[in-house]
Amino acid sequence: MSTEGQASSTEAPPRRPKVIKTNQQQVLLYVVLTLLLSFATVWAGRAMLHNSETLTFAVGGPDSDEALFAAKLAAVLKNNASRFRIKIVNNPDNAKALAQFDRRQADLAILRTDARVPPRARTLAILEHDLVLLLGPGNKKIKSLAELRKKKVAVVAENESSLAFVRNILDVPDGPDSAKIQMAPQGATLDKLFAPSSGFSAVIAIVHASKAVRDKAYQQVARRGGFTLNAIDEAKALARKFPGISDETLTAGTLSASPEIPDDDLDTIGLQWLLVAQSRMSLTTAGDLARIVYENKSALGLDNGFATRIEPASTEKDAFVMAHQGAADYINDDTKSFMDKYSDMMYLGAGALSVIGSIFAAIYTKITRIAPEKAGELATAILDIGERIEHAHSLEQLECLQDELEGILRGAVIGLRDGTISTDGLDTFKLGYEFVRDEIGMRRDYLKRHAGEAEKAAREPSPPQHDDSKVVVVKTAQSA
């Protein structure tokens, strides 16, 4: 066999298609990354829906009704596993608390409607009503507030702000007459205030409506004929003059059932205690807070009666303090459903998860298996065989090339079946295979034809050879 034949027989074996290769460490890495992605997705969704939000609640002193209510609200939120947390900030009085709220240093506060209302305050709920009770000694009737302007009047209330309120509704300017309107001494009873020695012509009590119906002191004093409850006929006029004042109606027997006080429905005025939030508070937060307050009214009431009859905020446009839009949506049942709130976010989230999933699927494909080889890429190996055909000078060399070509075809068929070879470029592969196959056939015919001619020439005898060494050249002389 010739040297070229030996070189051809030692060439590299036919190219085989790639097969699936699995690396355990890479698979483990993929599993870990998938778990981390799942955990991050769940955590992000949970954080989005249940992320804790701390709200600052500005209140007066620790023993004030506002502070006690704030503590009750904080406990309710905690017991209901709400996402809200309350941070209570105490102030010397409620006026200071409202000033803090006005400086945007608090999210929540409680105000009475005779106070200066911060412009950014929006109502979440009506916590309490204060009633103004006009009381006269014994059977004395007080026909109007005007007749009290120059008389000595005792104001029974929980804070000094009520004194300014009474002077305001009595239209008593600063001066000697205003000094006659005094805060009643702490702990003073109606009996003492109406005693001749006190000198008071009337008592104006500003009390929580929920507390007034529970207070038995009125009934005990009434049985002794100690006071008369008078109507405030100017109630509607005062409500129009002072927007924070509301006209109220005391039903018969409100203060005392026996004797019945009042003995008939009676007009008076009142004030409201409002739970307010900053106008910039989100609709969702305000709506959720309003819902929690309304649904837990029984748990939020104080022992002294404050906030035991919580009411929805007024959603009228002419309300003294406008309702927060989030609370108004809940009150009017205009709150969005879960899908309405989060449909856009869910759509974007689904798209993001789809992209992330595609990325991880691509990573999985890369690290756990080799991508399928294109059938068109095998045409390069086939053409390489075609280039070596002209250098095959024997049938043995040509058969080696034929075997290599058939090996590539067999591997391609198996790869197409197993998925390790894609159909991309399959037409190119077929064209290259047919071309090289025909070239091998033509080269085989050529080698066979030349081999036959050589064999025939070897069988035929060689022509006789002439020995010129014995040839004698005879020259004849031609006669002249």
Side-chain angles (χ1 to χ4, degrees), residues 31-43 352-353 356-357 360:
V31 171
V32 172
L33 290 175
T34 303
L35 291 175
L36 289 176
L37 175 63
S38 302
F39 174 79
T41 303
V42 172
W43 179 85
L353 288 177
I356 294 173
F360 269 80

Side-chain angles (χ1 to χ4, degrees), residues 389-455:
I389 291 176
E390 61 178 330
H391 300 292
H393 298 291
S394 67
L395 292 176
E396 290 80 2
Q397 296 177 8
L398 199 62
E399 288 302 323
C400 290
L401 296 178
Q402 179 71 40
D403 292 342
E404 189 174 347
L405 179 64
E406 296 301 325
I408 293 175
L409 176 62
R410 183 167 52 254
V413 172
I414 295 173
L416 289 171
R417 182 193 64 189
D418 296 341
T420 56
I421 296 178
S422 69
T423 58
D424 190 6
L426 184 59
D427 292 338
T428 302
F429 172 81
K430 291 168 59 179
L431 183 63
Y433 172 79
E434 292 174 356
F435 173 75
V436 173
R437 182 193 60 189
D438 294 343
E439 283 290 320
I440 290 176
M442 294 172 61
R443 184 66 177 176
R444 183 181 290 108
D445 293 341
Y446 172 81
L447 292 176
K448 287 182 178 180
R449 184 169 62 252
H450 279 268
E453 291 177 354
E455 184 179 353

Side-chain angles (χ1 to χ4, degrees), residues 95 112 114-115 157-166 183 206 273:
R112 198 171 70 173
D114 63 325
E158 294 183 355
N159 51 67
E160 294 287 338
S161 63
S162 296
L163 180 61
F165 170 73
V166 172
M183 285 293 294
I206 301 177
W273 289 86

